[in-house]
Amino acid sequence: MSVMAVVEIAGRALLAALFVLAGVAKILGPKPFLVHMDQFKLPRLLLPAVIALEIGAGLGLAIGWRLPIFAGILAAFCLATAAVFHRNLADRAERTQFFKDIALAGALVVIATGAMAA
């Protein structure tokens, strides 16, 4: 296995860990996430779907399975998260979270399109 292949796998694993750990955190302690969803008038029934998406797509990203699909789904999820939860750009913390989600989406689009292999 080449050094570049190892670096790519490690990079995907690090990125995927963010999503998998977020999903696990929602399973272990859902209350703050449900309160946050309530604040934005989102249905609580979305939480299991978000958990499944974060863990499932995160694991797909980590192992390299169906990368265009899972990376694309996670990119769209990051954009939606930025637009729904972090749109108060006057608040420094929210602005940081907004741009973090946008940056993650950008990295995931690079993975989804296979641009890394070019």
XYZ file of all heavy atoms in Angstrom:
865
model
N 0.859 -1.179 0.000
C 0.000 0.000 0.000
C 0.900 1.235 0.000
O 1.841 1.321 0.777
C -0.912 -0.020 1.226
C -1.886 1.130 1.256
S -3.030 1.116 2.668
C -4.053 -0.274 2.300
N 0.574 2.189 -0.853
C 1.393 3.389 -0.976
C 1.167 4.346 0.193
O 0.142 4.263 0.890
C 1.084 4.105 -2.286
O -0.181 4.738 -2.208
N 2.096 5.237 0.369
C 1.974 6.252 1.419
C 0.734 7.105 1.175
O -0.006 7.426 2.110
C 3.252 7.125 1.490
C 3.062 8.291 2.433
C 4.444 6.292 1.897
N 0.485 7.465 -0.080
C -0.688 8.297 -0.387
C -1.989 7.574 -0.040
O -2.930 8.202 0.441
C -0.686 8.706 -1.862
C 0.361 9.755 -2.186
S 0.237 11.241 -1.142
C -1.315 11.904 -1.676
N -2.052 6.278 -0.263
C -3.249 5.510 0.086
C -3.465 5.518 1.600
O -4.597 5.690 2.073
C -3.139 4.086 -0.437
N -2.393 5.357 2.348
C -2.488 5.384 3.811
C -2.934 6.761 4.290
O -3.801 6.875 5.165
C -1.140 4.983 4.457
C -1.161 5.204 5.958
C -0.801 3.535 4.124
N -2.375 7.808 3.700
C -2.745 9.172 4.076
C -4.219 9.428 3.750
O -4.945 10.026 4.554
C -1.829 10.197 3.372
C -2.345 11.614 3.538
C -0.405 10.084 3.903
N -4.675 8.962 2.596
C -6.080 9.148 2.226
C -7.003 8.429 3.204
O -8.006 8.995 3.657
C -6.331 8.637 0.810
C -7.780 8.822 0.384
C -8.081 8.267 -0.998
O -7.152 8.048 -1.787
O -9.275 8.057 -1.271
N -6.670 7.199 3.537
C -7.494 6.433 4.484
C -7.502 7.114 5.848
O -8.562 7.253 6.474
C -6.980 4.981 4.590
C -7.249 4.240 3.279
C -7.629 4.252 5.766
C -6.509 2.929 3.145
N -6.353 7.555 6.303
C -6.268 8.239 7.595
C -7.086 9.532 7.581
O -7.806 9.831 8.541
C -4.814 8.528 7.952
N -6.990 10.278 6.502
C -7.755 11.525 6.391
C -9.252 11.275 6.416
O -9.998 11.982 7.108
N -9.692 10.268 5.661
C -11.121 9.935 5.667
C -11.566 9.477 7.050
O -12.642 9.831 7.520
C -11.422 8.836 4.644
C -11.517 9.296 3.228
C -12.209 8.281 2.313
N -12.104 6.908 2.745
C -11.242 6.012 2.277
N -10.390 6.352 1.326
N -11.245 4.776 2.737
N -10.720 8.693 7.719
C -11.072 8.204 9.051
C -11.204 9.350 10.047
O -12.131 9.361 10.869
C -10.024 7.197 9.529
N -10.303 10.311 9.972
C -10.388 11.468 10.870
C -11.655 12.272 10.616
O -12.334 12.707 11.551
C -9.149 12.346 10.711
C -7.844 11.761 11.239
C -6.664 12.613 10.790
C -7.888 11.637 12.751
N -11.966 12.478 9.356
C -13.180 13.217 9.003
C -14.427 12.441 9.423
O -15.365 12.999 10.003
C -13.186 13.495 7.498
C -14.267 14.382 6.931
C -14.312 15.735 7.629
C -14.033 14.570 5.429
N -14.416 11.147 9.175
C -15.560 10.305 9.521
C -15.789 10.257 11.030
O -16.936 10.202 11.483
C -15.342 8.898 8.975
N -14.704 10.286 11.806
C -14.835 10.216 13.260
C -15.712 11.336 13.804
O -16.474 11.135 14.752
C -13.450 10.263 13.909
N -15.629 12.499 13.191
C -16.457 13.627 13.621
C -17.943 13.257 13.575
O -18.688 13.515 14.515
C -16.183 14.842 12.731
C -17.017 16.076 12.994
C -16.579 16.739 14.289
C -16.893 17.042 11.848
N -18.352 12.626 12.489
C -19.766 12.282 12.308
C -20.172 11.088 13.167
O -21.231 11.101 13.803
C -20.050 12.010 10.830
C -19.857 13.231 9.985
C -18.696 13.403 9.254
C -20.820 14.228 9.942
C -18.500 14.539 8.488
C -20.635 15.367 9.183
C -19.471 15.526 8.451
N -19.348 10.054 13.192
C -19.676 8.862 13.970
C -19.774 9.210 15.453
O -20.741 8.819 16.127
C -18.633 7.748 13.723
C -18.877 6.562 14.657
C -18.674 7.295 12.262
N -18.817 9.964 15.953
C -18.851 10.345 17.375
C -20.038 11.250 17.688
O -20.625 11.152 18.767
C -17.534 11.000 17.780
C -16.321 10.068 17.752
C -15.041 10.852 18.034
C -16.486 8.915 18.720
N -20.407 12.117 16.744
C -21.588 12.967 16.954
C -22.850 12.114 17.043
O -23.733 12.367 17.876
C -21.706 13.987 15.829
N -22.946 11.101 16.197
C -24.101 10.206 16.247
C -24.163 9.430 17.546
O -25.223 9.301 18.168
N -23.024 8.927 17.980
C -22.966 8.186 19.249
C -23.327 9.103 20.417
O -24.056 8.707 21.332
C -21.575 7.539 19.442
C -21.413 6.974 20.847
C -21.353 6.455 18.393
N -22.848 10.336 20.388
C -23.179 11.293 21.457
C -24.685 11.522 21.538
O -25.240 11.648 22.635
C -22.454 12.618 21.221
N -25.339 11.549 20.385
C -26.792 11.746 20.365
C -27.525 10.535 20.944
O -28.585 10.683 21.545
C -27.257 12.046 18.945
C -26.840 13.433 18.469
C -27.172 13.638 16.991
C -26.782 15.014 16.521
N -25.337 15.228 16.435
N -26.965 9.353 20.762
C -27.568 8.147 21.348
C -27.388 8.159 22.866
O -28.329 7.884 23.616
C -26.926 6.872 20.757
C -27.305 6.709 19.287
C -27.338 5.625 21.557
C -26.532 5.623 18.560
N -26.180 8.474 23.307
C -25.857 8.412 24.732
C -26.523 9.508 25.556
O -26.822 9.302 26.735
C -24.338 8.469 24.928
C -23.558 7.289 24.342
C -22.058 7.492 24.524
C -24.012 5.981 24.966
N -26.747 10.664 24.953
C -27.357 11.775 25.678
C -28.197 12.632 24.748
O -27.759 13.718 24.351
N -29.377 12.166 24.373
C -30.170 12.874 23.361
C -30.808 14.188 23.826
O -31.143 15.034 22.994
C -31.259 11.864 22.997
C -31.387 10.998 24.210
C -30.008 10.926 24.806
N -30.945 14.381 25.129
C -31.711 15.530 25.619
C -31.232 16.879 25.085
O -32.046 17.648 24.568
C -31.748 15.534 27.146
C -32.687 16.595 27.676
C -32.882 16.506 29.159
C -33.860 17.590 29.578
N -34.177 17.526 30.991
N -29.942 17.230 25.160
C -29.550 18.557 24.668
C -29.797 18.724 23.162
O -30.100 19.822 22.700
C -28.065 18.664 24.992
C -27.615 17.307 25.371
C -28.820 16.519 25.759
N -29.701 17.637 22.430
C -29.943 17.713 20.989
C -31.433 17.922 20.705
O -31.801 18.678 19.814
C -29.420 16.452 20.301
C -27.951 16.243 20.533
C -27.504 15.330 21.459
C -27.016 17.009 19.840
C -26.147 15.153 21.697
C -25.656 16.842 20.065
C -25.228 15.919 20.992
N -32.268 17.265 21.499
C -33.715 17.453 21.342
C -34.122 18.874 21.723
O -34.957 19.486 21.046
C -34.474 16.423 22.188
C -34.360 14.987 21.696
C -34.895 14.018 22.740
C -35.082 14.819 20.366
N -33.528 19.414 22.777
C -33.812 20.801 23.180
C -33.400 21.757 22.060
O -34.136 22.693 21.725
C -33.094 21.143 24.510
C -33.141 22.628 24.799
C -33.708 20.351 25.657
N -32.230 21.506 21.483
C -31.751 22.356 20.395
C -32.694 22.269 19.192
O -33.010 23.287 18.568
C -30.329 21.951 20.023
C -29.577 22.983 19.272
N -28.792 22.689 18.202
C -29.478 24.334 19.428
C -28.258 23.797 17.725
N -28.653 24.805 18.454
N -33.143 21.076 18.873
C -34.092 20.909 17.771
C -35.397 21.639 18.076
O -35.986 22.255 17.180
C -34.349 19.423 17.515
C -33.148 18.702 16.932
S -33.357 16.913 16.831
C -34.530 16.823 15.485
N -35.854 21.571 19.327
C -37.077 22.278 19.730
C -36.941 23.783 19.515
O -37.880 24.447 19.067
C -37.404 22.012 21.203
C -37.870 20.597 21.465
O -38.227 19.873 20.502
O -37.855 20.190 22.651
N -35.757 24.325 19.833
C -35.522 25.758 19.670
C -35.686 26.194 18.221
O -36.060 27.335 17.955
C -34.119 26.134 20.166
C -33.946 26.030 21.651
C -32.496 26.207 22.074
O -31.565 26.086 21.283
N -32.306 26.472 23.360
N -35.401 25.296 17.300
C -35.503 25.610 15.878
C -36.767 25.028 15.247
O -36.910 25.001 14.028
C -34.250 25.127 15.132
C -33.050 25.965 15.437
C -32.239 25.674 16.533
C -32.737 27.070 14.660
C -31.139 26.458 16.830
C -31.639 27.863 14.951
C -30.839 27.550 16.036
N -37.666 24.554 16.114
C -38.960 24.027 15.695
C -38.833 22.880 14.682
O -39.611 22.782 13.731
C -39.845 25.144 15.158
C -40.108 26.224 16.202
C -41.101 27.233 15.753
C -41.394 28.333 16.704
N -40.868 28.377 17.997
N -37.838 22.027 14.932
C -37.664 20.838 14.109
C -38.325 19.654 14.802
O -38.270 19.544 16.029
C -36.182 20.544 13.892
C -35.431 21.561 13.051
C -33.943 21.258 13.054
C -35.954 21.561 11.630
N -38.950 18.779 14.050
C -39.594 17.619 14.677
C -38.581 16.699 15.355
O -37.546 16.370 14.779
C -40.276 16.902 13.513
C -39.944 17.633 12.282
C -39.108 18.818 12.613
N -38.916 16.291 16.558
C -38.037 15.409 17.319
C -37.824 14.067 16.610
O -36.822 13.392 16.842
C -38.611 15.167 18.711
C -38.508 16.387 19.599
C -39.233 16.176 20.919
N -38.739 17.146 21.890
C -38.242 16.812 23.064
N -38.190 15.554 23.441
N -37.794 17.736 23.881
N -38.763 13.693 15.777
C -38.648 12.430 15.043
C -37.462 12.416 14.081
O -37.080 11.354 13.587
C -39.943 12.149 14.272
C -41.153 11.790 15.126
C -42.404 11.684 14.267
C -40.906 10.495 15.868
N -36.885 13.587 13.811
C -35.712 13.639 12.937
C -34.445 13.121 13.619
O -33.497 12.732 12.934
C -35.465 15.078 12.461
C -36.395 15.618 11.392
C -36.046 17.070 11.080
C -36.306 14.767 10.139
N -34.427 13.106 14.944
C -33.201 12.726 15.637
C -32.724 11.321 15.270
O -31.542 11.148 14.965
C -33.336 12.886 17.153
C -32.025 12.680 17.929
C -30.963 13.681 17.499
C -32.272 12.776 19.418
N -33.585 10.298 15.269
C -33.089 8.977 14.862
C -32.543 8.965 13.430
O -31.549 8.277 13.150
C -34.310 8.066 14.988
C -35.209 8.766 15.944
C -34.971 10.237 15.743
N -33.134 9.723 12.544
C -32.634 9.796 11.169
C -31.264 10.461 11.117
O -30.377 10.021 10.381
C -33.631 10.546 10.285
N -31.091 11.503 11.911
C -29.799 12.193 11.967
C -28.736 11.251 12.532
O -27.615 11.168 12.006
C -29.899 13.492 12.804
C -28.521 14.054 13.117
C -30.751 14.524 12.080
N -29.094 10.516 13.569
C -28.155 9.554 14.162
C -27.756 8.508 13.128
O -26.569 8.204 12.953
C -28.768 8.894 15.413
C -28.918 9.924 16.545
C -27.930 7.696 15.868
C -29.773 9.452 17.709
N -28.733 7.949 12.432
C -28.450 6.924 11.417
C -27.585 7.490 10.300
O -26.642 6.835 9.825
C -29.757 6.373 10.856
N -27.879 8.723 9.894
C -27.098 9.357 8.836
C -25.658 9.572 9.283
O -24.720 9.220 8.570
C -27.743 10.688 8.442
C -27.090 11.439 7.293
C -28.144 12.200 6.517
C -26.022 12.388 7.766
N -25.485 10.141 10.463
C -24.128 10.439 10.937
C -23.303 9.164 11.107
O -22.156 9.102 10.660
C -24.180 11.215 12.256
C -24.628 12.648 12.087
C -24.729 13.408 13.388
O -25.075 12.814 14.439
O -24.462 14.626 13.360
N -23.882 8.161 11.724
C -23.129 6.930 11.955
C -22.971 6.135 10.655
O -21.860 5.708 10.314
C -23.791 6.079 13.058
C -23.693 6.823 14.403
C -23.131 4.698 13.139
C -24.432 6.157 15.541
N -24.049 5.951 9.930
C -23.988 5.147 8.709
C -23.103 5.757 7.638
O -22.187 5.101 7.112
N -23.348 7.015 7.312
C -22.543 7.665 6.280
C -21.112 7.882 6.774
O -20.165 7.791 5.988
C -23.176 8.995 5.868
N -20.956 8.141 8.069
C -19.617 8.293 8.626
C -18.805 7.010 8.497
O -17.636 7.041 8.109
N -19.422 5.877 8.793
C -18.726 4.598 8.647
C -18.427 4.292 7.180
O -17.350 3.788 6.857
C -19.536 3.474 9.291
C -19.609 3.501 10.815
C -20.555 2.429 11.329
C -18.225 3.337 11.424
N -19.379 4.610 6.291
C -19.130 4.430 4.860
C -17.943 5.247 4.398
O -17.090 4.762 3.638
N -17.874 6.472 4.865
C -16.741 7.340 4.538
C -15.440 6.749 5.083
O -14.420 6.710 4.388
C -16.986 8.738 5.120
C -15.920 9.798 4.880
C -15.834 10.147 3.404
C -16.247 11.044 5.704
N -15.474 6.274 6.313
C -14.271 5.739 6.952
C -13.717 4.530 6.209
O -12.502 4.419 6.012
C -14.555 5.372 8.408
N -14.600 3.635 5.775
C -14.116 2.409 5.130
C -13.991 2.556 3.618
O -13.514 1.647 2.945
C -14.991 1.194 5.492
C -16.416 1.340 4.951
C -14.976 0.949 6.990
C -17.263 0.092 5.094
N -14.433 3.687 3.091
C -14.285 3.933 1.659
C -15.343 3.288 0.799
O -15.159 3.111 -0.403
N -16.473 2.951 1.390
C -17.553 2.282 0.670
C -18.510 3.321 0.095
O -18.995 4.192 0.816
C -18.281 1.331 1.611
C -19.300 0.477 0.954
C -19.105 -0.428 -0.042
C -20.695 0.441 1.262
N -20.291 -1.025 -0.376
C -21.281 -0.513 0.406
C -21.505 1.122 2.167
C -22.640 -0.807 0.429
C -22.848 0.820 2.194
C -23.415 -0.126 1.335
N -18.739 3.262 -1.197
C -19.659 4.177 -1.888
C -19.363 5.637 -1.553
O -20.248 6.414 -1.179
C -21.094 3.821 -1.590
C -21.399 2.385 -1.977
C -22.835 2.189 -2.237
N -23.035 0.791 -2.628
C -23.919 0.416 -3.509
N -24.685 1.296 -4.080
N -24.063 -0.847 -3.814
N -18.109 5.982 -1.699
C -17.650 7.324 -1.317
C -18.445 8.454 -1.959
O -18.814 9.403 -1.262
C -16.159 7.492 -1.632
C -15.211 6.904 -0.612
C -13.772 7.061 -1.075
C -15.406 7.533 0.741
N -18.717 8.419 -3.261
C -19.469 9.541 -3.833
C -20.832 9.745 -3.160
O -21.244 10.876 -2.914
C -19.630 9.160 -5.306
C -18.507 8.215 -5.571
C -18.298 7.463 -4.290
N -21.478 8.652 -2.826
C -22.810 8.746 -2.207
C -22.706 9.265 -0.780
O -23.353 10.258 -0.414
C -23.520 7.383 -2.247
C -23.806 6.992 -3.695
C -24.798 7.405 -1.407
C -24.253 5.557 -3.872
N -21.902 8.589 0.041
C -21.844 8.963 1.456
C -21.191 10.323 1.685
O -21.659 11.103 2.527
C -21.171 7.873 2.282
C -22.027 6.653 2.439
C -21.553 5.408 2.060
C -23.315 6.735 2.944
C -22.350 4.280 2.191
C -24.126 5.625 3.072
C -23.636 4.383 2.696
N -20.154 10.626 0.942
C -19.532 11.948 1.092
C -20.496 13.032 0.618
O -20.578 14.103 1.229
C -18.215 12.009 0.325
N -21.236 12.759 -0.455
C -22.221 13.728 -0.941
C -23.347 13.963 0.058
O -23.772 15.097 0.289
N -23.824 12.885 0.655
C -24.884 13.000 1.675
C -24.380 13.817 2.864
O -25.080 14.711 3.364
C -25.360 11.607 2.121
C -26.182 10.953 1.006
C -26.156 11.683 3.416
C -26.479 9.478 1.241
N -23.172 13.517 3.319
C -22.621 14.268 4.458
C -22.367 15.732 4.100
O -22.566 16.619 4.942
C -21.344 13.603 4.966
C -21.553 12.277 5.706
C -20.219 11.584 5.950
C -22.299 12.500 7.018
N -21.959 15.996 2.859
C -21.775 17.390 2.428
C -23.100 18.139 2.486
O -23.171 19.258 3.007
C -21.181 17.441 1.019
N -24.161 17.525 1.960
C -25.484 18.158 1.998
C -25.946 18.355 3.439
O -26.532 19.398 3.782
C -26.488 17.304 1.219
N -25.677 17.379 4.289
C -26.027 17.478 5.707
C -25.318 18.659 6.363
O -25.930 19.420 7.122
C -25.677 16.165 6.411
C -25.927 16.173 7.887
C -27.213 16.154 8.396
C -24.862 16.183 8.774
C -27.442 16.153 9.760
C -25.073 16.179 10.142
C -26.373 16.167 10.639
N -24.027 18.828 6.065
C -23.276 19.956 6.634
C -23.833 21.293 6.161
O -23.953 22.237 6.957
C -21.798 19.849 6.260
S -20.926 18.560 7.149
N -24.179 21.381 4.888
C -24.766 22.627 4.372
C -26.107 22.914 5.031
O -26.397 24.054 5.403
C -24.905 22.551 2.852
C -23.600 22.537 2.069
C -23.876 22.307 0.587
C -22.818 23.819 2.281
N -26.919 21.871 5.188
C -28.222 22.049 5.845
C -28.043 22.460 7.301
O -28.752 23.349 7.803
C -29.035 20.760 5.750
N -27.088 21.849 7.977
C -26.813 22.193 9.377
C -26.388 23.653 9.496
O -26.853 24.380 10.384
C -25.726 21.266 9.949
O -26.194 19.922 9.880
C -25.406 21.609 11.388
N -25.521 24.084 8.607
C -25.079 25.489 8.620
C -26.265 26.420 8.408
O -26.423 27.412 9.127
C -24.016 25.720 7.548
N -27.101 26.104 7.422
C -28.227 26.975 7.070
C -29.299 27.019 8.153
O -29.902 28.064 8.397
C -28.834 26.521 5.748
N -29.538 25.901 8.817
C -30.624 25.837 9.801
C -30.164 26.304 11.180
O -30.834 27.113 11.822
C -31.200 24.407 9.889
C -32.173 24.263 11.054
C -31.875 24.025 8.581
N -29.030 25.814 11.638
C -28.633 26.032 13.026
C -27.655 27.183 13.239
O -27.564 27.711 14.338
C -28.004 24.761 13.607
C -28.971 23.642 13.804
C -28.932 22.536 12.976
C -29.924 23.695 14.805
C -29.821 21.489 13.151
C -30.817 22.653 14.989
C -30.767 21.549 14.156
N -26.912 27.561 12.229
C -25.816 28.517 12.457
C -25.920 29.744 11.552
O -24.934 30.232 11.030
C -24.466 27.818 12.243
C -24.304 26.593 13.065
N -24.357 26.604 14.439
C -24.117 25.301 12.710
C -24.202 25.375 14.894
N -24.053 24.563 13.862
N -27.103 30.247 11.387
C -27.284 31.379 10.463
C -27.155 32.749 11.134
O -27.206 33.763 10.463
C -28.615 31.245 9.741
C -29.782 31.096 10.646
C -31.071 30.885 9.883
N -32.133 30.853 10.862
C -33.095 29.984 10.900
N -33.179 29.084 9.965
N -33.997 30.024 11.831
N -26.985 32.776 12.450
C -26.790 34.047 13.147
C -25.310 34.435 13.048
O -24.536 34.255 13.979
C -27.233 33.947 14.604
C -27.041 35.243 15.349
O -26.736 36.284 14.763
N -27.210 35.205 16.664
N -24.942 34.996 11.915
C -23.534 35.293 11.661
C -23.018 36.480 12.476
O -21.808 36.721 12.501
C -23.311 35.513 10.172
C -23.649 34.311 9.285
C -23.372 34.623 7.820
C -22.923 33.067 9.718
N -23.904 37.206 13.149
C -23.474 38.297 14.022
C -22.823 37.748 15.298
O -22.009 38.422 15.925
C -24.648 39.194 14.368
N -23.167 36.518 15.665
C -22.607 35.869 16.841
C -21.329 35.134 16.433
O -21.347 34.297 15.536
C -23.636 34.883 17.410
C -23.123 34.154 18.633
O -22.336 33.210 18.456
O -23.522 34.523 19.750
N -20.223 35.448 17.090
C -18.919 34.896 16.700
C -18.905 33.364 16.730
O -18.390 32.721 15.819
C -17.824 35.446 17.599
C -16.459 34.831 17.275
C -15.380 35.403 18.124
N -15.066 36.719 17.585
C -14.171 37.532 18.091
N -13.515 37.187 19.169
N -13.922 38.698 17.541
N -19.457 32.772 17.780
C -19.465 31.306 17.887
C -20.291 30.685 16.767
O -19.889 29.687 16.163
C -19.990 30.880 19.249
N -21.445 31.273 16.486
C -22.296 30.751 15.412
C -21.626 30.922 14.052
O -21.726 30.058 13.188
C -23.659 31.431 15.429
C -24.531 31.014 16.585
C -24.804 29.516 16.599
O -25.166 28.946 15.553
O -24.632 28.898 17.667
N -20.955 32.036 13.870
C -20.235 32.280 12.608
C -19.128 31.237 12.429
O -18.950 30.680 11.342
C -19.660 33.697 12.596
C -19.053 34.106 11.279
C -18.701 35.591 11.225
N -17.856 36.031 12.330
C -18.230 36.897 13.276
N -19.421 37.445 13.250
N -17.391 37.242 14.237
N -18.431 30.924 13.502
C -17.387 29.897 13.441
C -17.988 28.544 13.090
O -17.462 27.823 12.233
C -16.632 29.814 14.790
O -16.008 31.074 15.030
C -15.597 28.706 14.788
N -19.093 28.192 13.730
C -19.762 26.924 13.432
C -20.265 26.884 11.988
O -20.168 25.860 11.305
C -20.927 26.686 14.399
C -20.508 26.410 15.817
C -19.729 25.111 15.940
O -19.990 24.142 15.238
N -18.753 25.086 16.814
N -20.794 28.005 11.528
C -21.288 28.100 10.149
C -20.152 27.799 9.165
O -20.283 26.939 8.285
C -21.866 29.496 9.896
C -22.337 29.710 8.487
C -23.618 29.340 8.105
C -21.505 30.287 7.544
C -24.055 29.540 6.800
C -21.925 30.482 6.241
C -23.211 30.109 5.866
N -19.038 28.486 9.328
C -17.931 28.304 8.386
C -17.252 26.943 8.545
O -16.729 26.392 7.579
C -16.950 29.469 8.459
C -17.494 30.698 7.792
C -17.822 31.814 8.530
C -17.718 30.714 6.423
C -18.354 32.943 7.915
C -18.251 31.839 5.800
C -18.568 32.960 6.542
N -17.281 26.382 9.751
C -16.777 25.015 9.945
C -17.609 24.041 9.124
O -17.078 23.185 8.414
C -16.799 24.610 11.410
C -16.381 23.169 11.628
C -17.028 22.490 12.821
C -18.481 22.736 13.001
N -19.348 21.585 13.101
N -18.932 24.184 9.194
C -19.810 23.298 8.425
C -19.624 23.483 6.923
O -19.631 22.509 6.161
C -21.277 23.524 8.808
C -21.614 22.931 10.163
O -20.906 22.012 10.613
O -22.600 23.382 10.769
N -19.438 24.714 6.490
C -19.202 24.985 5.066
C -17.874 24.354 4.627
O -17.782 23.739 3.555
C -19.211 26.509 4.791
C -20.562 27.123 5.142
C -18.811 26.812 3.357
C -21.734 26.582 4.355
N -16.840 24.486 5.456
C -15.532 23.906 5.134
C -15.611 22.384 5.075
O -15.031 21.752 4.173
C -14.488 24.360 6.150
N -16.314 21.779 6.025
C -16.496 20.329 5.997
C -17.206 19.905 4.717
O -16.833 18.909 4.089
C -17.291 19.862 7.216
C -16.549 19.859 8.544
C -17.525 19.644 9.691
C -15.475 18.788 8.546
N -18.237 20.655 4.338
C -18.958 20.341 3.101
C -18.004 20.400 1.909
O -18.054 19.535 1.023
C -20.135 21.300 2.906
N -17.136 21.386 1.887
C -16.167 21.501 0.801
C -15.242 20.297 0.736
O -14.989 19.741 -0.338
N -14.728 19.876 1.871
C -13.849 18.704 1.904
C -14.597 17.456 1.447
O -14.059 16.631 0.698
C -13.303 18.502 3.313
N -15.835 17.339 1.862
C -16.633 16.171 1.485
C -16.971 16.172 -0.008
O -17.016 15.108 -0.636
C -17.907 16.107 2.344
C -17.620 15.723 3.795
C -18.755 16.165 4.708
C -17.355 14.228 3.922
N -17.169 17.342 -0.580
C -17.401 17.426 -2.029
C -16.150 16.986 -2.780
O -16.242 16.276 -3.797
C -17.831 18.853 -2.446
C -17.755 19.056 -3.946
C -19.242 19.130 -1.939
N -14.983 17.369 -2.299
C -13.736 16.925 -2.929
C -13.674 15.389 -2.906
O -13.335 14.753 -3.907
C -12.511 17.539 -2.211
C -11.224 16.872 -2.663
C -12.463 19.044 -2.457
N -14.008 14.790 -1.786
C -14.005 13.331 -1.690
C -15.070 12.727 -2.603
O -14.814 11.759 -3.330
C -14.215 12.881 -0.221
C -13.010 13.301 0.624
C -14.445 11.371 -0.133
C -13.223 13.142 2.116
N -16.268 13.305 -2.590
C -17.379 12.771 -3.389
C -17.087 12.789 -4.874
O -17.489 11.881 -5.607
C -18.663 13.546 -3.095
N -16.369 13.793 -5.323
C -16.098 13.914 -6.758
C -14.835 13.180 -7.172
O -14.522 13.117 -8.372
C -15.962 15.389 -7.164
O -14.865 15.979 -6.450
C -17.245 16.159 -6.905
N -14.096 12.651 -6.203
C -12.865 11.955 -6.528
C -11.740 12.887 -6.920
O -10.744 12.461 -7.493
N -11.885 14.158 -6.611
C -10.870 15.148 -7.018
C -9.518 14.872 -6.363
O -8.501 15.306 -6.863
C -11.348 16.558 -6.678
N -9.504 14.142 -5.248
C -8.237 13.834 -4.573
C -7.357 12.949 -5.450
O -6.146 13.030 -5.396
C -8.483 13.123 -3.244
C -9.137 14.005 -2.223
S -9.360 13.275 -0.582
C -9.314 11.540 -0.816
N -7.981 12.101 -6.243
C -7.221 11.155 -7.064
C -6.607 11.819 -8.286
O -5.753 11.246 -8.948
C -8.134 10.016 -7.499
N -7.033 13.024 -8.593
C -6.536 13.704 -9.807
C -5.109 14.159 -9.681
O -4.489 14.207 -8.707
C -7.421 14.916 -10.097
